[in-house]
Amino acid sequence: MINRIIEFSLKNKLIIGILTLILIAWGVYNFTILPIDAVPDITNNQVQVITIAPSLAPQEIEQFITYPVEIAMANIQNVVEIRSISRFGLSVVTIVFKDKVNQYLARQLVSEQITIAENNIPEGYGQPEMMPVTTGLGEIYQYVLEPEPGYEDQFTPMEIRTIQDWIVKRHLSGIPGIVEISSFGGFLKQYEVSIKPRTLVGMDLTLMEIYAALQENNQNTGGSYIEKGPNAYYIRAEGIVENKEDIEQIVIKNIQGIPILIRDVAEVKIGSPPRFGAMTKDGKGEAVGGITLMLKGANSAQVIKDVEERIKHVEKMLPEGIKIHAYLNRAELISKTIKTVRTNLIEGGLIVIFILILLLGNYRAGLIVASVIPLSMLFAFSMMNLFHVSANLMSLGAIDFGLIVDGSVIVVEGIIYQIHKNGLKEKINQQQMDDNIYKAGSRVSKSAVFGVLIILIVYLPILAFSGIEGKMFKPMAQTVIFALLGALLLSLTYVPVMASLFLSKNAKHRRTIADRIITFLQNAHKPVLEFSLNHKGLLLMVVVIVVSITFFLFTRMGGEFIPTLEEGDLAAQMTLPPGSSLSESVASSSRAEKILLEQFPEVKEIVSKIGTAEVPTDPMAVEDADIMIIMKPKDEWTSANTREELVDKMKAALSVLPGVSFEFTQPIQLRFNELMTGIKSDVAVKIYGEDLDVLYDKANIAASFIQNIEGAGDVGVEQIVGLPQLLVKYKRDKIAQYGLNINDINRIIRIAFAGESAGIVYEGERRFDLVVRLCEDCRNKLQSIRNLRVNKPSKDLILLQQVAEIRIQNGPMQISRDNTKRRITIGINVRNRDIESFINE
């Protein structure tokens, strides 16, 4: 079979030449469309279900939302695990499937179960929905909108957020490969009807009357049409409010012929809902930005290029004085990674070519063998695209050109040997050349094939990997196998043809540098070989001792899954004490940014993301923040030489912030850790139990022991308790006495403090909620909730404190669950030590 391939190639050189050109064209085309990224996407196969219920505490979120969703999802087959987070106003349930399950089939199964879960969630408590189809590598382009110099005072955070939502986000949507644009920071614009409780009492009004009036006086309708002569006139009634003045003139009710208007009892103004997240930048206060989320499996290099092109068009639509600034652009990391791979491949290729020419003793033979390298790589690129393997540090970084040309070297050496073996004294003709090549190929082809097959066998076990290790290492094995198969095919077809056409047909032998090198190596090897054969026992004893020592050292080496990729930038997780306000988090992050910028010249810029974004891919509390530290190139560092040293100095500098803790990692690493395990740290210790207070105490005890282990850089206990809550405990006998019901009282509390939309106000194509709530000063006073009127109008005044006990108590801050079991996590970032030995200790 092998000999027939060689014979066919020599007899049909034109066909082989055409096929080679087709391979080049096919390879170049596939190279241009090959997905490129920095690292393989090792995110597990998961679907996230989120439910937003702004007025519910963690206990209610867990009981009424998270638990029904988890139970519904438990019936799905091929599920590896179900984990959840219940925070104030937010439930996130993550369903992890086996890798064999198609992503879209998984989403279809989850969608069917969401319908079942909705029936078990009380009405008005939130609508479960699936997160976009994205992964840990999805956040490819993160940006902020910032005023240009001289325009800082012309734009408020609310105005910038409106620009983000209605200009930037709108025009970035629809890019191929982008599934969502998530807004972050600023104030969401609303038309707010701000009410003072005393005014309501003085006019014998209730919140529900105002809410109903706004709902009933903000709508359009139609009345079909009427015919008049030859024409038809379509009836259209306009009743939608267009501005604040229209809202102020809405009638609530009429008392003795005097209309009571909204403006008589409330202030209509531009407001914003209670926030659960914010963004700060460079210690200058709040900022507004966005995060582009890429479709799972998309070509990140191409998607980023399309985003950058679209950004250029969007910038032309922005008001004068506003610009878009990208602070995290995956293209930069991809560029660095590909540059590293390209440099290694080029340098490795040049070294191999030099060695080939030097040791083969024939520059033509060396160049023929060297030409196999780019051709086999083009074949590999084509197969990578066919099998959906992206080009990244792992897939291309393992390419060894010495292995690739192994079969071709054997074939070419055999050909040269065959020609010189014949001892021809004059130039041979083409037929004699082909005959010699065929004889040489027939003799050494099996050796070439089996040599390549032996190398391939080494990589076969890697193809059996599954899970995270499979996603990390299988691309490497596949790429090497593709390149080796391409090189093997070329060694049996292309190489014999090129040798036939371009090797010298003059068989005269001249002593070359290669001959001298080989002679030297043979002379050096011969006495060593003779000594070994004459002292077999001593040699075996030395080998056994060396192997034993090596095995002993190997068991003490420790290990880790993969060396940490130097992303170039840093990420810090800031945690404040439970119960801290959003304004306190904003102030703390701004102080931390100033410290880092002032003390570390390596830092280019810093952006902090506090709490939860519009699309809660990362459900954090307002006490938590992810601080993205964008660094200058490493050759410009002056404070430290290594990342670990710099992190230690940064932690020391930030220690002046009282009550604030920091854990350092890297942006992509942080997202991978979180999406794969639900934890952002390198190592996680989980403790399971039902009582949250007991869990928290046990976790703190465990953390105190872990902190003393060598290599424990950051040790943090998950904050699950200590959230101050204002508890309203109803007195059922009083409610019965006054003829009230809990549903109506709950809605009054929700409207008064959280606010509830009573309609929409349109500004052209833009739309904003029309919300009713108490004035800001009233909402921040405990007395306001005590004196909140809860009865119907024209009745004796009944206050909330008359029908409920109102007190402050600490409650759970977050409830985390794995497979329906409550748990707490101790997160550890390991530094200056391998993870395996750290875990074993």
Side-chain angles (χ1 to χ4, degrees):
M1 176 66 178
I2 298 174
N3 294 341
R4 287 183 178 181
I5 294 175
I6 297 175
E7 182 182 10
F8 175 84
S9 301
L10 291 171
K11 289 183 178 179
N12 299 275
K13 297 183 179 66
L14 180 60
I15 294 176
I16 298 301
I18 293 173
L19 291 176
T20 302
L21 293 176
I22 292 174
L23 171 62
I24 294 172
W26 185 45
V28 170
Y29 168 74
N30 280 280
F31 176 73
T32 59
I33 63 173
L34 185 65
I36 300 175
D37 214 321
V39 292
D41 190 347
I42 59 175
T43 310
N44 45 26
N45 188 12
Q46 63 177 240
V47 179
Q48 288 186 310
V49 178
I50 65 166
T51 309
I52 298 175
S55 59
L56 296 183
Q59 302 99 307
E60 283 75 36
I61 291 288
E62 179 193 36
Q63 181 178 6
F64 298 125
I65 299 176
T66 302
Y67 183 75
V69 172
E70 284 181 340
I71 294 301
M73 300 305 156
N75 296 320
I76 302 176
Q77 302 302 306
N78 295 314
V79 170
V80 177
E81 67 170 334
I82 299 174
R83 59 177 186 263
S84 66
I85 293 176
S86 300
R87 302 198 69 92
F88 194 95
L90 178 67
S91 166
V92 179
V93 179
T94 302
I95 305 99
V96 181
F97 288 83
K98 294 180 180 178
D99 288 334
K100 67 180 182 180
V101 180
N102 180 272
Q103 173 73 31
Y104 294 97
L105 173 60
R107 292 178 66 84
Q108 175 62 33
L109 295 172
V110 170
S111 177
E112 293 173 358
Q113 296 305 116
I114 286 178
T115 304
I116 297 175
E118 286 175 346
N119 297 327
N120 296 318
I121 296 175
E123 185 178 356
Y125 275 29
Q127 182 78 21
E129 58 184 26
M130 287 186 289
M131 292 285 284
V133 188
T134 187
T135 68
L137 288 178
E139 297 179 353
I140 59 172
Y141 191 92
Q142 302 185 38
Y143 61 90
V144 293
L145 275 70
E146 54 187 11
E148 296 178 350
Y151 291 86
E152 292 87 354
D153 298 331
Q154 297 187 21
F155 297 95
T156 65
M158 179 179 290
E159 290 171 337
I160 299 177
R161 174 60 185 265
T162 303
I163 293 171
Q164 156 64 19
D165 288 340
W166 293 100
I167 298 179
V168 180
K169 178 178 178 178
R170 177 180 176 183
H171 288 90
L172 288 182
S173 300
I175 297 175
I178 293 294
V179 293
E180 184 65 64
I181 310 294
S182 180
S183 299
F184 214 126
F187 296 83
L188 189 64
K189 182 179 177 179
Q190 290 181 335
Y191 282 80
E192 179 179 309
V193 178
S194 181
I195 302 169
K196 292 185 178 181
R198 289 185 179 180
T199 305
L200 293 182
V201 174
M203 293 193 171
D204 192 27
L205 294 173
T206 66
L207 281 173
M208 294 307 300
E209 285 183 298
I210 296 176
Y211 183 81
L214 291 170
Q215 276 190 318
E216 295 169 1
N217 290 274
N218 184 29
Q219 53 187 278
N220 285 357
T221 189
S224 188
Y225 66 91
I226 59 175
E227 292 185 4
K228 189 173 182 180
N231 299 321
Y233 296 90
Y234 291 85
I235 301 171
R236 177 169 170 258
E238 284 191 357
I240 286 187
V241 296
E242 297 180 353
N243 48 50
K244 292 195 295 183
E245 289 73 20
D246 288 348
I247 301 171
E248 291 173 341
Q249 295 180 41
I250 291 177
V251 178
I252 304 172
K253 67 179 182 179
N254 194 295
I255 301 178
Q256 297 179 358
I258 301 175
I260 306 298
L261 307 180
I262 291 293
R263 68 186 177 196
D264 297 327
V265 298
E267 178 188 2
V268 180
K269 63 179 184 178
I270 301 300
S272 63
R275 297 192 299 163
F276 294 95
M279 175 182 281
T280 61
K281 183 177 185 295
D282 294 340
K284 299 176 182 178
E286 294 207 37
V288 178
I291 304 170
T292 61
L293 301 177
M294 183 182 71
L295 176 69
K296 181 178 181 179
N299 183 347
S300 58
Q302 182 60 46
V303 174
I304 293 172
K305 182 180 178 182
D306 293 341
V307 170
E308 291 174 334
E309 288 295 322
R310 186 71 64 86
I311 287 288
K312 294 178 182 177
H313 294 289
V314 173
E315 286 181 326
K316 299 176 182 177
M317 306 175 188
L318 298 178
E320 183 181 359
I322 286 287
K323 65 177 181 180
I324 299 175
H325 170 67
Y327 63 90
L328 266 182
N329 187 343
R330 184 70 53 75
E332 297 176 3
L333 180 59
I334 294 174
S335 177
K336 293 177 184 177
T337 305
I338 297 304
K339 182 180 178 181
T340 300
V341 173
R342 183 173 61 244
T343 300
N344 292 342
L345 292 179
I346 292 175
E347 291 177 352
L350 291 176
I351 292 172
V352 169
I353 292 171
F354 174 75
I355 297 299
L356 284 172
I357 294 174
L358 185 65
L359 295 184
L360 286 176
N362 186 316
Y363 76 91
R364 295 188 183 183
L367 292 176
I368 290 173
V369 173
S371 67
V372 172
I373 294 175
L375 292 175
S376 60
M377 289 304 299
L378 290 175
F379 179 83
F381 292 147
S382 302
M383 298 302 293
M384 289 169 67
N385 202 47
L386 188 63
F387 285 86
H388 308 292
V389 179
S390 67
N392 53 62
L393 186 62
M394 288 299 296
S395 62
L396 296 181
I399 295 293
D400 186 338
F401 292 140
L403 297 179
I404 289 176
V405 299
D406 185 61
S408 300
V409 169
I410 294 174
V411 172
V412 170
E413 276 191 317
I415 292 172
I416 295 175
Y417 174 79
Q418 179 67 32
I419 293 174
H420 290 291
K421 178 184 176 182
N422 289 339
L424 301 175
K425 302 300 182 182
E426 57 184 16
K427 187 174 182 179
I428 60 177
N429 58 36
Q430 187 63 53
Q431 185 58 48
Q432 290 174 316
M433 187 68 169
D434 290 351
D435 292 341
N436 279 279
I437 291 174
Y438 176 73
K439 291 177 182 178
S442 301
R443 190 180 70 252
V444 302
S445 58
K446 288 185 178 179
S447 299
V449 171
F450 282 108
V452 173
L453 291 178
I454 289 172
I455 298 171
L456 288 176
I457 290 173
V458 175
Y459 289 93
L460 290 181
I462 299 178
L463 298 180
F465 284 1
S466 60
I468 297 172
E469 61 273 20
K471 294 178 181 179
M472 178 63 76
F473 293 108
K474 280 174 67 175
M476 173 196 72
Q478 289 175 297
T479 304
V480 173
I481 290 173
F482 295 152
L484 287 173
L485 290 176
L488 177 61
L489 183 62
L490 290 166
S491 68
L492 300 178
T493 55
Y494 167 82
V495 169
V497 171
M498 292 298 104
S500 172
L501 295 176
F502 296 106
L503 283 184
S504 174
K505 297 178 176 58
N506 189 344
K508 293 181 181 180
H509 178 70
R510 296 186 297 273
R511 187 170 178 79
T512 63
I513 295 177
D515 294 326
R516 296 188 181 94
I517 294 174
I518 297 300
T519 300
F520 171 78
L521 294 175
Q522 287 176 339
N523 293 335
H525 175 252
K526 185 175 180 180
V528 176
L529 179 61
E530 291 176 348
F531 176 83
S532 300
L533 293 174
N534 293 331
H535 301 83
K536 299 181 182 68
L538 176 62
L539 179 65
L540 288 174
M541 185 172 62
V542 171
V543 170
V544 170
I545 293 173
V546 171
V547 170
S548 300
I549 293 173
T550 303
F551 181 78
F552 174 79
L553 294 175
F554 175 75
T555 59
R556 298 295 188 274
M557 284 177 63
E560 55 185 316
F561 179 61
I562 189 171
T564 302
L565 171 68
E566 291 278 355
E567 298 179 26
D569 300 321
L570 296 176
Q573 297 168 253
M574 183 186 76
T575 303
L576 273 68
S580 299
S581 64
L582 180 61
S583 58
E584 179 63 22
S585 295
V586 169
S588 297
S589 67
S590 296
R591 288 196 294 269
E593 291 164 0
K594 287 181 180 179
I595 290 172
L596 295 177
L597 285 169
E598 290 172 357
Q599 298 188 23
F600 298 93
E602 299 87 353
V603 178
K604 185 190 301 182
E605 59 182 329
I606 305 176
V607 176
S608 300
K609 295 181 290 186
I610 304 167
T612 303
E614 180 186 37
V615 179
T617 55
D618 184 7
M620 298 190 300
V622 296
E623 298 93 341
D624 299 327
D626 286 341
I627 303 177
M628 300 298 157
I629 307 170
I630 314 304
M631 307 296 295
K632 295 178 182 177
K634 203 167 186 177
D635 54 10
E636 297 181 23
W637 289 14
T638 57
S639 302
N641 295 320
T642 65
R643 181 169 61 92
E644 289 77 13
E645 181 185 357
L646 184 63
V647 166
D648 290 337
K649 290 185 176 181
M650 285 183 171
K651 288 193 69 175
L654 294 172
S655 62
V656 299
L657 299 176
V660 185
S661 63
F662 294 89
E663 297 180 22
F664 281 83
T665 179
Q666 301 179 97
I668 295 179
Q669 184 180 357
L670 182 147
R671 291 294 294 140
F672 272 161
N673 290 342
E674 182 186 16
L675 283 175
M676 289 188 300
T677 65
I679 310 301
K680 298 181 180 181
S681 305
D682 296 334
V683 178
V685 178
K686 296 182 178 180
I687 304 175
Y688 293 89
E690 290 301 319
D691 192 307
L692 296 178
D693 292 323
V694 174
L695 281 175
Y696 190 66
D697 291 340
K698 297 297 183 184
N700 279 293
I701 295 172
S704 64
F705 288 106
I706 296 172
Q707 186 69 63
N708 298 323
I709 300 176
E710 181 186 354
D714 304 307
V715 179
V717 176
E718 183 181 4
Q719 296 290 338
I720 63 172
V721 296
L723 181 67
Q725 296 180 352
L726 191 61
L727 179 64
V728 178
K729 183 71 173 177
Y730 292 117
K731 301 174 183 178
R732 295 188 178 273
D733 56 337
K734 294 295 184 181
I735 289 177
Q737 177 183 342
Y738 293 121
L740 304 174
N741 65 73
I742 291 176
N743 181 65
D744 291 340
I745 300 176
N746 282 343
R747 191 172 187 191
I748 290 172
I749 294 174
R750 187 166 62 248
I751 292 174
F753 293 92
E756 191 161 319
S757 176
I760 301 293
V761 180
Y762 292 88
E763 294 181 3
E765 293 182 341
R766 303 179 185 182
R767 47 186 291 163
F768 304 97
D769 285 336
L770 174 59
V771 178
V772 181
R773 62 168 66 94
L774 295 184
C775 64
E776 186 174 359
D777 291 340
C778 302
R779 295 199 304 270
N780 294 328
K781 294 178 181 178
L782 179 59
Q783 199 62 27
S784 295
I785 192 169
R786 295 183 184 275
N787 295 332
L788 187 63
R789 182 176 183 174
V790 296
N791 66 311
K792 297 179 181 180
S794 303
K795 301 289 184 181
D796 292 337
L797 181 65
I798 302 174
L799 305 180
L800 182 61
Q801 62 184 342
Q802 296 176 245
V803 297
E805 177 188 356
I806 303 170
R807 67 177 185 269
I808 296 176
Q809 68 176 34
N810 285 337
M813 176 178 172
Q814 172 177 302
I815 303 175
S816 302
R817 294 151 63 103
D818 285 348
N819 296 320
T820 72
K821 298 177 182 177
R822 287 182 173 181
R823 55 93 173 152
I824 190 172
T825 302
I826 306 166
I828 309 109
N829 285 328
V830 180
R831 285 202 290 274
N832 301 317
R833 186 175 183 183
D834 65 273
I835 293 179
E836 182 184 24
S837 62
F838 177 85
I839 294 175
N840 291 335
E841 185 171 343

